Every structure is written in C-alpha cells, then in structure tokens.
Amino acid sequence: PYRTLVRSHCSDVTVQGIRVQNSPSWNIHPYFSDHLRFLDMSVINPKVSPNTDGLDPESCHDVEITGVYFSVGDDCIAVKSGKIYMGAKYKTPSEKITIRQCCMRDGHGSITIGSEMAGGVKDMNVEECLFLHTDRGLRIKTRRGRGKDAIVTGIKFENIIMDHVMTP
C-alpha cells in the first residue's frame, strides 16, 4: 500500500507544521523508530476514503503527538506493533506514547490500538483531546492468536471531550 510519509529505524525525528493530505492509504507510518515528535500538523483525507489512517506508529518508542488535527476516512491514530509473525520475531512493543491537545474528526476510530499489535502496546497517555463525529473513541482491535506478547497495559485517557462519537 502507498503511504505519504514513512519512517523506518529512525531516531530523534521531529515533524512539525506540515499538512499531509489525500494519501491513497495510511498517511504517516513510522516503524521501529525512537524519540519521534509530531507537532502542530494537519492530516486530512476525505471521510469516505477507506484505509486512510492518519498516523500509525508501529513498534516505536517515545512518541509525542501534540496539536495535530486529524480528519480522515479510517482511524485517526492507530498504534501498532506488528502482525503475528513480526510480533513473535521482534517482540517490539509500541511504548511511551503521548497524545495531547489533538482533534480527531470523522474517522472510524479516534485512537485505536491494533489490530496489528502482536508485540504489545505499553504506556500510552492521551490527554486534553477532542473527538468529533468519529465512530469510536478508544478502540482496541485484537483477535485470538495474536500471541503471548500482544499485551496492552498502561493506557490512560484524561480530559477527553467527545461530541457525536457513536461508541465512546
């Protein structure tokens, strides 16, 4: 699948002040990267565009997403850590993720964990965000057979405002 911005095996990267728009698939997909900052940005796709996740950190450590406006056709933020074979082989969770002062609009999920999360997701804090007209607020997508490392722990939501969210 096509992605607009992909980062692999990077460290100490800041993406700030840009607009990512009309991606044919996932908009921003960093994986196996550390110390990432996504600040003061917009990620926009038509709300009827399938598979256009906004930002999908996968097996990343120390990620800050602050002041980002999302309006997409799929999940606004989907935290991932690999399909079954990657999770079993690399055992690299997504961890230490901070999402704050963001607006999620029109997506299927405001913030989703999975479904590709065989390496687990740990220590994610979401605070002071606004969820508007999304299908779901927090969504954890999983299924049987994800493996023993597919552990989700330390997830905290504080001061979230949801307006017209079908399933908070």
Side-chain angles (χ1 to χ4, degrees):
Y2 298 100
R3 290 160 177 91
T4 299
L5 178 62
V6 177
R7 291 286 171 253
S8 172
H9 297 86
C10 294
S11 185
D12 300 304
V13 174
T14 299
V15 180
Q16 184 171 6
I18 66 169
R19 179 181 181 135
V20 178
Q21 187 170 359
N22 296 329
S23 175
S25 187
W26 296 355
N27 283 269
I28 302 170
H29 182 211
Y31 57 98
F32 292 105
S33 295
D34 302 311
H35 315 299
L36 305 175
R37 305 289 173 263
F38 298 93
L39 310 171
D40 187 31
M41 303 170 39
S42 296
V43 181
I44 300 171
N45 269 70
K47 64 182 175 181
V48 295
S49 56
N51 205 30
T52 56
D53 291 2
L55 175 54
D56 292 1
E58 183 170 358
S59 296
C60 291
H61 175 263
D62 186 27
V63 178
E64 177 187 351
I65 304 168
T66 300
V68 179
Y69 174 80
F70 294 93
S71 180
V72 296
D74 205 339
D75 296 321
C76 295
I77 296 175
V79 180
K80 302 175 179 292
S81 62
K83 291 186 178 184
I84 296 168
Y85 71 93
M86 283 185 62
K89 181 175 181 179
Y90 297 108
K91 300 182 189 310
T92 306
S94 280
E95 60 186 335
K96 197 178 172 206
I97 297 172
T98 301
I99 302 165
R100 70 173 164 249
Q101 298 172 346
C102 292
C103 178
M104 284 68 162
R105 177 179 216 112
D106 299 326
H108 289 301
S110 295
I111 298 183
T112 299
I113 296 173
S115 65
E116 299 88 0
M117 46 75 85
V121 176
K122 301 177 181 178
D123 301 323
M124 183 173 86
N125 294 316
V126 181
E127 55 193 47
E128 300 174 11
C129 289
L130 179 60
F131 301 169
L132 301 171
H133 301 274
T134 59
D135 292 345
R136 290 162 189 87
L138 166 62
R139 183 178 189 191
I140 300 174
K141 296 193 283 189
T142 188
R143 66 175 202 201
R144 292 173 206 242
R146 286 289 182 209
K148 63 182 169 125
D149 299 308
I151 295 170
V152 176
T153 184
I155 309 301
K156 183 171 68 172
F157 275 58
E158 290 185 306
N159 300 316
I160 306 298
I161 296 172
M162 297 189 200
D163 187 11
H164 290 90
V165 174
M166 287 193 305
T167 306

